[in-house]
Amino acid sequence: MKKNVLIDVERLKYPKSGIANVCISLIKGLDQKIPAFNYTFYGPKANIPATKSKYNIINWKFWQKKIPVSTVSYALIHTTHQLSEYFHKIKKDQKKVVTLHDLNFLHDKSSERKINKSKRLVQKNIGNANAIICISEFVKDDFIKNKHLFQLKENVRIEVVYNGLMFPENENFRAPQNYSFINEKFILNIGVLFPKKNQNVLLDLISKNDRHLVLITSSAKSDYKEMFLEKVKISGLTERVHILENVEDEEKYFLLQHCESYCHPSLAEGFGIPPVEAMYFGKPVFLSKFTSLPEIGGDLAFYFEDFSAENMNDIYLHGISTFNKNKDVFQIKLKERALEFSYLRMAESYENIYKKLLN
């Protein structure tokens, strides 16, 4: 008789986020297999993707923080984010898996109050976990360095499972509008405008060349976003910077298909989904050399050694020239690299972990 496994995908509340993308990929990946377990997903029912298998769904409600969902029938609970507000308590004979995406709050100049609040929440999630799954070797190393900050079970497993993506099967994408920049050479960046994402240095980069910059971001307001927009004006780049908010996948894929390159100068990444998407489309990828990004790009990406305008422009122009000299080979290798981060591989890895714990 198959055992019951509950997977917390509550972060599907934010359907355009990277974690939501991973949750959907996990659901779809498990749906492609002959299931070893009876899976139940906890999250907003409207955002849980359709599947061939008839999975159980527990619809997320805001009051469930106060009146928790019963978990007595589950042999294992998988919390897919270390800051989850749910399923902190488990029974003696239950197993628990927690996915750790990052410990950025320790490194991003957060206030002491925020650091302590985040530490308490991470502790509630991982303190009784049988397995802590890190999304990159960088995150695993960072966690091991900071393990002393948390109380853990004695024989807890600490393993790496890379995030898995679902890539589009279609190759013909349409834009919902006519872009003024579409016939220009443009650099693409995807992500929330936020200090750790470091998008402001891309303005310095394009100030040294003739490229346009296209940012796919959210409509959320922030001090950093205001600073970024002000820098666009002061730098005289209004005609060459284009901000697109709350973009659907079809439009995102269209822009990935037509950009000259993808640039991701982030200072803190647990993984980095957009660079993988760009590699799938065979685009030259320019990354910062920090945190997990070299792990993702390997020897196929070009790296910014520092963020001075001159250095970034030198690396950018050299990288574009190198890419164009051997474009066909680069594109094949980039796509092969992207496919290493497959949703099917991720689902297989997680199910194997469930099996190890439950057997």
Side-chain angles (χ1 to χ4, degrees):
M1 187 171 164
K2 290 180 182 177
K3 294 180 179 178
N4 297 328
V5 170
L6 174 64
I7 301 179
D8 171 8
V9 292
E10 170 264 343
R11 289 289 161 140
L12 286 173
K13 284 189 309 187
Y14 311 106
K16 295 187 185 299
S17 68
I19 293 172
N21 191 329
V22 173
C23 288
I24 288 170
S25 295
L26 178 58
I27 294 168
K28 289 287 195 178
L30 292 171
D31 192 39
Q32 295 295 315
K33 301 173 85 291
I34 297 172
F37 304 100
N38 294 321
Y39 290 109
T40 295
F41 298 102
Y42 171 74
K45 193 170 185 177
N47 294 344
I48 291 176
T51 56
K52 295 178 296 184
S53 304
K54 292 184 178 178
Y55 295 125
N56 297 316
I57 295 172
I58 301 174
N59 193 25
W60 169 84
K61 300 291 183 185
F62 72 92
W63 45 261
Q64 287 158 346
K65 282 185 196 176
K66 300 293 184 185
I67 308 172
V69 169
S70 173
T71 63
V72 292
S73 64
Y74 299 102
L76 183 146
I77 297 168
H78 177 188
T79 298
T80 58
H81 190 263
Q82 76 276 3
L83 296 176
S84 174
E85 299 272 10
Y86 307 89
F87 310 113
H88 294 157
K89 294 180 180 178
I90 61 170
K91 297 185 303 173
K92 188 177 179 181
D93 58 342
Q94 279 177 324
K95 303 297 182 183
K96 187 177 181 185
V97 175
V98 178
T99 301
L100 181 70
H101 292 263
D102 60 64
L103 292 175
N104 284 345
F105 61 88
L106 295 177
H107 311 297
D108 62 6
K109 299 179 182 177
S110 293
S111 66
E112 188 174 350
R113 182 181 174 188
K114 183 183 175 184
I115 290 171
N116 289 332
K117 182 181 177 182
S118 297
K119 272 167 56 179
R120 284 194 297 271
L121 192 50
V122 172
Q123 175 63 45
K124 285 180 180 179
N125 282 296
I126 69 173
N128 56 3
N130 302 93
I132 298 168
I133 308 304
C134 303
I135 63 169
S136 64
E137 293 291 345
F138 167 77
V139 172
K140 180 181 176 182
D141 291 345
D142 191 35
F143 177 65
I144 289 170
K145 284 176 193 170
N146 291 286
K147 198 169 67 163
H148 63 280
L149 299 174
F150 305 99
Q151 298 284 323
L152 305 175
K153 290 182 93 165
E154 268 188 34
N155 297 314
V156 62
R157 292 170 174 268
I158 302 172
E159 299 186 26
V160 172
V161 174
Y162 286 114
N163 284 339
L165 281 70
M166 293 180 66
F167 300 106
E169 294 177 8
N170 181 23
E171 292 185 1
N172 299 310
F173 304 102
R174 294 182 181 180
Q177 58 180 295
N178 293 319
Y179 306 107
S180 60
F181 56 80
I182 201 63
N183 293 317
E184 307 289 344
K185 291 179 180 178
F186 69 92
I187 295 168
L188 186 64
N189 174 270
I190 302 172
V192 178
L193 278 164
F194 199 65
K196 71 177 184 181
K197 298 294 186 181
N198 202 31
Q199 291 104 330
N200 68 296
V201 301
L202 296 177
L203 300 178
D204 301 326
L205 168 60
I206 67 167
S207 73
K208 295 296 180 182
N209 58 49
D210 61 353
R211 270 56 173 186
H212 286 238
L213 174 63
V214 177
L215 298 109
I216 294 177
T217 188
S218 75
S219 56
K221 295 181 179 179
S222 68
D223 291 342
Y224 184 80
K225 188 173 187 176
E226 293 303 313
M227 180 275 289
F228 183 89
L229 294 172
E230 185 62 25
K231 185 172 178 178
V232 171
K233 290 179 186 175
I234 292 170
S235 304
L237 295 170
T238 306
E239 298 298 315
R240 288 201 284 136
V241 176
H242 314 272
I243 296 178
L244 306 176
E245 297 180 339
N246 301 325
V247 163
E248 297 296 332
D249 281 348
E250 177 88 0
E251 185 175 3
K252 177 181 74 172
Y253 295 144
F254 178 87
L255 293 167
L256 280 164
Q257 209 168 44
H258 288 83
C259 66
E260 178 183 47
S261 67
Y262 181 84
C263 284
H264 203 80
S266 180
L267 301 173
E269 287 289 344
F271 180 73
I273 289 174
V276 178
E277 292 179 314
M279 289 192 290
Y280 179 80
F281 282 90
K283 295 297 177 175
V285 172
F286 294 81
L287 308 173
S288 78
K289 63 177 182 178
F290 299 106
T291 62
S292 67
L293 291 172
E295 208 174 322
I296 304 305
D299 60 0
L300 293 173
F302 303 99
Y303 295 95
F304 296 123
E305 297 296 321
D306 66 59
F307 298 115
S308 66
E310 292 79 9
N311 178 69
M312 289 183 74
N313 190 49
D314 287 347
I315 287 170
Y316 186 80
L317 296 179
H318 174 72
I320 290 294
S321 174
T322 302
F323 175 84
N324 286 333
K325 284 175 185 173
N326 213 355
K327 189 172 183 177
D328 291 343
V329 173
F330 254 112
Q331 288 181 325
I332 291 167
K333 288 184 175 180
L334 284 163
K335 188 167 185 175
E336 287 174 349
R337 176 76 177 170
L339 290 171
E340 291 178 20
F341 303 103
S342 156
Y343 75 111
L344 296 172
R345 184 175 292 188
M346 176 180 68
E348 180 85 28
S349 297
Y350 273 114
E351 193 167 78
N352 284 338
I353 290 164
Y354 306 157
K355 287 175 184 176
K356 287 175 190 174
L357 292 176
L358 292 176
N359 290 339

